[in-house]
Amino acid sequence: MKRLLILGGTGDAVKLASLAILLQRGFANDLPELVVITSLAGRTSAPKSLVGNVRIGGFGGEAGLIAYLQTERIDLIIDATHPFAAQISQHVAGAATKVGIPRLVLIRPEWARLPEDNWIEVKSVAAAVTAIPASAKRIFLTIGRQQLAPFASLTDKWCLMRSIDPPDLSISLPPGKLLLDRGPFSLAAERELLREYRIQAIVSKNSGGDDTYAKIIAARELGLPVIIVQRPIVPEGEIVRDVAGAIEWLLDAIGR
Ligand code: NAP
């Protein structure tokens, strides 16, 4: 028997868990039994439904994760967290090395800047605050709900803030409106949103993937500046860019 831990919180992690389970059923006689456990941080109130076993909540740092890997006798670990979830990825890298188990990072490619894009690239969400052009007064903040606080200083702007769940109401927010919604978002809907709210600049992480790319296309069409936050560094190790690559790695790791 092999026990696989997937660090989740992304659509790719959901697909990976279901494919890993299907794969095992398909090759039932040729593969060792595979137990699939997905770990979620517990940030969203209604996470996407997942097949296999699910555990929710932080481990308690790298030390807590090491203890979990040992107690649960985990054999393999796939870090399929969001490209901006840097802390958990560091913990996974450290813990897997210390416990001595194979680790893979599944991280989708970044969005590439096209010549027609009007991107202002910044290294952090905090840096995005000061990079917003002075002339842009109506801003679309599509960075989730956890890092809105630095934008509270933008008292001369109006911000449309989109996230899946509402932000912590104890933090100060800039003047504007909260929009609770979950992707995927269509190009037609994103165009309409930018027009309806007369948006003049967008702040986005370079998350990659198709589900939230439409806003980048819509901004390109309208010639809007996009303040785009570059990704944190990925810990060294084996990396694949899609779920198919992760399944190949898994097959090799469990000895097909
Ligand atoms: P983070 O800053 O890298 O991690 C902060 C802490 O949250 C970690 O130290 C860990 O707590 C816990 N944690 C994070 N992911 C976990 C997981 N999959 N399972 C168990 N514990 C986890 O992470 P974040 O940026 O807050 O993101 C949290 C989750 O939301 C991630 O799973 C990520 O895939 C998902 N997500 C993040 C973003 C984003 O923009 N950051 C966007 C979409 C989805 P302990 O130290 O106590 O173990």
Side-chain angles (χ1 to χ4, degrees):
M1 185 205 283
K2 294 281 185 190
R3 294 172 64 81
L4 167 68
L5 177 66
I6 299 172
L7 278 300
T10 58
D12 279 349
V14 174
K15 282 182 211 149
L16 177 59
S18 44
L19 274 176
I21 286 168
L22 280 176
L23 182 89
Q24 195 221 347
R25 289 188 191 138
F27 290 88
N29 297 328
D30 305 329
L31 292 180
E33 189 187 339
L34 183 66
V35 176
V36 179
I37 306 162
T38 301
S39 174
L40 301 176
R43 298 280 191 275
T44 44
S45 55
K48 286 183 185 169
S49 68
L50 270 154
V51 295
N53 305 289
V54 180
R55 66 158 302 285
I56 298 181
F59 297 96
E62 187 185 298
L65 179 54
I66 289 173
Y68 176 87
L69 296 178
Q70 290 169 332
T71 311
E72 293 297 321
R73 303 181 321 284
I74 301 296
D75 299 294
L76 304 160
I77 187 160
I78 300 182
D79 176 1
T81 56
H82 190 271
F84 281 81
Q87 189 169 308
I88 188 70
S89 292
Q90 289 293 344
H91 293 174
V92 172
T97 305
K98 284 172 189 151
V99 176
I101 57 173
R103 169 185 63 99
L104 177 74
V105 176
L106 163 56
I107 186 165
R108 56 198 182 212
E110 294 182 310
W111 295 321
R113 178 188 195 143
L114 299 189
E116 316 86 89
D117 284 322
N118 180 7
W119 282 10
I120 301 165
E121 296 192 69
V122 293
K123 290 204 183 311
S124 66
V125 170
V129 179
T130 49
I132 297 172
S135 58
K137 298 292 180 200
R138 297 180 65 83
I139 317 298
F140 185 21
L141 299 180
T142 62
I143 50 162
R145 70 192 166 99
Q146 291 189 77
Q147 289 170 288
L148 289 170
F151 295 91
S153 61
L154 299 178
T155 48
D156 64 330
K157 312 228 187 250
W158 185 94
C159 295
L160 180 65
M161 295 161 268
R162 183 167 70 190
S163 58
I164 297 174
D165 286 312
D168 180 348
L169 291 179
S170 66
I171 64 164
S172 301
L173 296 174
K177 178 177 173 176
L178 286 174
L179 186 61
L180 301 184
D181 207 353
R182 168 184 248 155
F185 301 105
S186 73
L187 179 55
E190 295 292 62
R191 263 189 211 123
E192 180 52 32
L193 194 75
L194 297 182
R195 289 209 178 101
E196 181 185 351
Y197 288 98
R198 295 176 284 115
I199 297 298
Q200 295 167 316
I202 298 178
V203 180
S204 171
K205 296 174 179 174
N206 192 335
S207 298
D210 297 334
D211 285 4
T212 57
Y213 188 59
K215 66 189 169 198
I216 302 291
I217 303 175
R220 184 183 300 142
E221 289 177 355
L222 296 171
L224 297 181
V226 180
I227 296 88
I228 195 142
V229 184
Q230 294 168 343
R231 290 179 174 190
I233 290 166
V234 183
E236 279 191 13
E238 267 189 274
I239 294 180
V240 292
R241 296 297 181 180
D242 56 23
V243 174
I247 291 290
E248 276 296 307
W249 179 89
L250 186 59
L251 281 169
D252 284 345
I254 59 180
R256 66 177 131 184

